[in-house]
Amino acid sequence: MPSVVSFQSSSALQGLAGGAKPGTEQLRRQNLITVLSALRRSGAMSHTGLSVETGLASATVTAVTADLERAGAIERQEQAVSGGRGRPRVMLSPRRSFAHVAAVQISSDAVHYALADYRGTLIDRFSTRRDLEGTPASLLDEVSGAVKRLMERSRLKPEDVSALSLSSKGIVDAEAGRLVWSPVFGDRPVDFAKLLDDLPQAQLALNNETLLVAHAKASRQMQDADAPDFSGLITLSLGHSIGLGIARLDGQGSLAVTAPNFGHMLNAVDDRLCRCGSRGCIEATAGFYGILRLAFQVPPNTIPARFVPLAEMEKIALSARQGTRMAQYAFRQAGLALGQGLSRVLSLYENMPVAITGPGTRFYDLLAGGMEEGLRQSLHVRLNGLPHIDIEPDEAGLVFDGHVDRALAAVDQRVMAVR
Ligand SMILES: [Zn+2]
């Protein structure tokens, strides 16, 4: 049976080991997580440093690090004290080779592969172009071959990979490891659980890409001592398709991340045909193909292009910036659909800052006016004001961090079973 991990938050640490009192066991697991996360953040720390950083008593740090060393998850190194006198300082750090995460980001036109060690450090990465005429079976073959290449390049054996973390645009069934609907394959599903046949020790995680972006953006903000107190945020990914992620703190103070189906939320009663087969989805106006279709006045019920190269979008943007009315109108309509959609999300939740990511950020100057107009049409925004909007250009970095962070958290849960 493949083990499929769907990681919600650190509060999901249940399933207690037999015998121990629930309260004690839960506390022990929480302390292990606290120590591992602190070590991963800083790279290496002394016993005293760990106690200060985590707020745990010195005796607790001793017990926790002994457990982690026994499991092989951390290692100690002696560091000579400057001046050469006195006892060397003992530094603790996660043992790099304890676990490896293979991350696979499937986008519309390419697949990106990355390998990270147990410290969360990037070891290797490469990308392959995606065969747009491919099938789910050919994609699985392609990914399986590339993951083997990823292991060979770093001289890893199949059992050295502890987590295979995949992401895609579209709708995923995280529990089953299945991509249910995707821009390229439509409703032909892709069963990624099969990939575990070659990786005997790996847990599989499958996530919507924008969920990873929201997770990583929120984690960065929560760790940033200079940032204002975190309560929640929205990430909005603009490109060929439109993705939205919401990261919020739940009642226990744990991070809960979701990726509602924003791109295919019905937005307007119009004829604009979406890739999903519906008419009037946000994506049908705000996705790259929606903008292209409107700019060139192609009939709105034309079946959308599978993929619009970025160079094509740059040409439309240039012509909009030079004053071409139809091109300007296309971006404005896209902004309007995004603003109206966002206003609905804010009405359902509360005001949260919005971080915009993805290749579409380079056209934000052309989208911003329509977006603000769309937001202001709602009572919620008139009463509460516009949300704070940020442009975050490094979407790829956030996706990688999201993969590694969540996959290592799942590996950490396995460490906790060891005593
Ligand atoms: Zn749709």
Side-chain angles (χ1 to χ4, degrees), residues 264 274 276 278 281:
H264 299 283
C274 180
C276 73
S278 299
C281 296

Side-chain angles (χ1 to χ4, degrees), residues 231-248:
S231 61
L233 61 78
I234 293 173
T235 56
L236 177 63
S237 172
L238 307 182
H240 200 62
S241 46
I242 304 294
L244 179 123
I246 301 175
R248 306 170 83 215

